[in-house]
Amino acid sequence: MIKFDRHRRLRTSAAMRDLVRETHVLKTDLIQPVFIEDGLMGKTEIKSMPGVFHFGMDTVLDEIQEIVNDGIKAIILFGLPKDEDKDEVGTGAWSDDGIVQQATRLIKKNYPDLIVIADCCMCEYTSTGHCGIVRDGYVQNDESLEYITRTAVSQAKAGADIIAPSNAMDGYVAAIREGLDKNDLVNVPIMSYAVKYASSFYGPFRDAANSSPKFGDRKTYQMDPANRLDAMRETISDENEGADFVMVKPSMAFLDVMREVKDHTKLPLVAYNVSGEYSMIKAAAQNGWIDEQSVVYETLTSMKRAGADLIITYFAKDFANYSDNQK
């Protein structure tokens, strides 16, 4: 008699497979992005991101009510100012009347238990489309830190529960932490975009946020996708500077990096399932080439399996509805 292991014993039925499943994705693991546009009335669908919308101040609470009803506990806010309000120093990002600040106050007033994460960057607000201050054709690191810190403090004062700086300047976590602490905001955590690659997967987001650079690219401050050790150096720096969460962005093409970061860090790890990853799945599903629900489950599970504690994903509401319909 040939002897061999019978692994299939633990796969004989759906109930058996559920019993021994190692990795689970829960609605409470997910963070839904929300785009709020200054001056917009109603909502408009983003062409390159089917099912994702720009919301005006008059409709954003309707979206928040859906998110809360779906059982999602956190959102991340992205703001779109009017084009005529953009300038070289991104004033709208750190203005107390900026669109993210207005939306944060409105949301927290009506949904105080919902976690509001404020994306802290300048690319949507600068006339250059870059994430910092440009001098002589180059994004200035140290000068940009002043304005990034102003933005973080303004967002926290408006009621943001978590500040998520995505600008990829060196020292931004230390600068923001100092700024928050000096303003008696010591309990506001920082969700660092610690590992942020210069990725082609961001294309639909740049349409959504109207934030494409007016010249050049972001490769002098975002990371080279070919580099693994760079991710560890960035993570260690942000941990030492006072980050409370660390992030890997994008997710699907960088699961190996995510696993390595998780093996190192003791902080909560966030995966950002970015716009290009979302739009590819949506487009393939709309063409009937894949089963969207199954692929979304598999994709998000891969991120959790690689070590993510939380996932920022445009599929958060979809996933919540999939889960509810299976009960």
Side-chain angles (χ1 to χ4, degrees), residues 174-192:
I176 291 171
R177 185 73 271 159
E178 181 180 29
L180 292 173
D181 292 352
K182 283 183 176 179
N183 283 273
D184 297 324
L185 296 163
V186 296
N187 290 325
V188 177
I190 296 172
M191 180 182 286
S192 165

Side-chain angles (χ1 to χ4, degrees), residues 6 12 19 21 40 57 72 104 111 150 179 181 187 231 240 245 284 325:
R6 292 193 178 275
T12 52
L19 186 66
R21 182 161 294 133
L40 177 67
M57 289 289 288
I72 297 165
T104 298
Y111 298 91
R150 288 187 192 181
D181 292 352
N187 290 325
N240 291 339
F245 305 77
N325 290 335

